[in-house]
Amino acid sequence: MNSDSDLQIAGDILEVQHLLQPAREHPSTVSEFVGLARSIAADRARWAGIVQYDSASRWYNRLHQGPGYEVWLLSWVPGQGSGRHDHGLSAGVLTVLEGELTEHTERGTRSLGAGAQRSFAPGYVHEVVNDSLEPAVSLHIYYPGLTEMPMHPSQSAPTAVDAVPA
């Protein structure tokens, strides 16, 4: 036992639902945007009937706009991806609502199943792809609202041909 503190917390505090604060009408901190994303994700009636799937391109719809932020709903059929990009001056929260997505960053690859959340700062470079055999749906909150999405060259691993000196 740690004698420096009277407080001992076992487990993940986010699993103790009665301790979570309800989402504010107009969030202003990262944790409040995460809370907003969780509350929208839990309100399936708010988004499930809107979702469409497009095999030609990723489908997206602005679900909500508040002072200084936007909430977007995206669908991903198998094989669709975002390309390697950042979000300019916007920070954000990505929440997987249904299915599974894969996030690729310079630090590695992460599988994101339904309920998974990622928050990121401005300038964060990643690529999101639906590598599964089923469609996926995700929720994205950008603050401030998304004004640019600069694309970056792909970071693919060198092949045996690439590794041979010319």
Side-chain angles (χ1 to χ4, degrees):
M1 180 167 205
N2 182 352
S3 61
D4 295 339
S5 173
D6 297 337
L7 180 62
Q8 296 292 316
I9 298 175
D12 181 356
I13 196 156
L14 296 178
E15 296 297 323
V16 187
Q17 295 299 316
H18 69 280
L19 295 178
L20 295 175
Q21 297 296 313
R24 290 177 37 174
E25 182 180 358
H26 299 297
S28 61
T29 67
V30 173
S31 63
E32 289 172 351
F33 282 108
V34 168
L36 175 62
R38 285 178 186 248
S39 68
I40 293 171
D43 186 3
R44 187 175 174 76
R46 183 172 177 181
W47 56 266
I50 299 170
V51 176
Q52 298 176 29
Y53 299 95
D54 185 339
S55 61
S57 65
R58 280 184 305 131
W59 173 88
Y60 53 91
N61 180 62
R62 185 165 52 198
L63 190 61
H64 178 73
Q65 187 172 9
Y69 69 94
E70 298 175 325
V71 180
W72 290 86
L73 188 62
L74 282 74
S75 70
W76 313 71
V77 299
Q80 286 181 336
S82 65
R84 194 165 177 263
H85 68 281
D86 69 61
H87 303 94
L89 299 176
S90 299
V93 176
L94 159 71
T95 304
V96 179
L97 302 177
E98 289 182 348
E100 184 175 324
L101 295 172
T102 304
E103 181 186 39
H104 302 280
T105 68
E106 65 179 19
R107 299 184 79 185
T109 298
R110 180 185 310 243
S111 178
L112 305 170
Q117 287 190 297
R118 300 281 291 142
S119 59
F120 50 86
Y124 178 73
V125 178
H126 68 162
E127 178 177 17
V128 179
V129 180
N130 182 351
D131 287 330
S132 77
L133 299 176
E134 300 295 328
V137 179
S138 58
L139 182 79
H140 303 248
I141 299 177
Y142 301 107
Y143 50 96
L146 193 61
T147 58
E148 62 178 328
M149 196 172 108
M151 300 305 290
H152 296 262
S154 181
Q155 280 188 320
S156 59
T159 63
V161 172
D162 294 329
V164 176

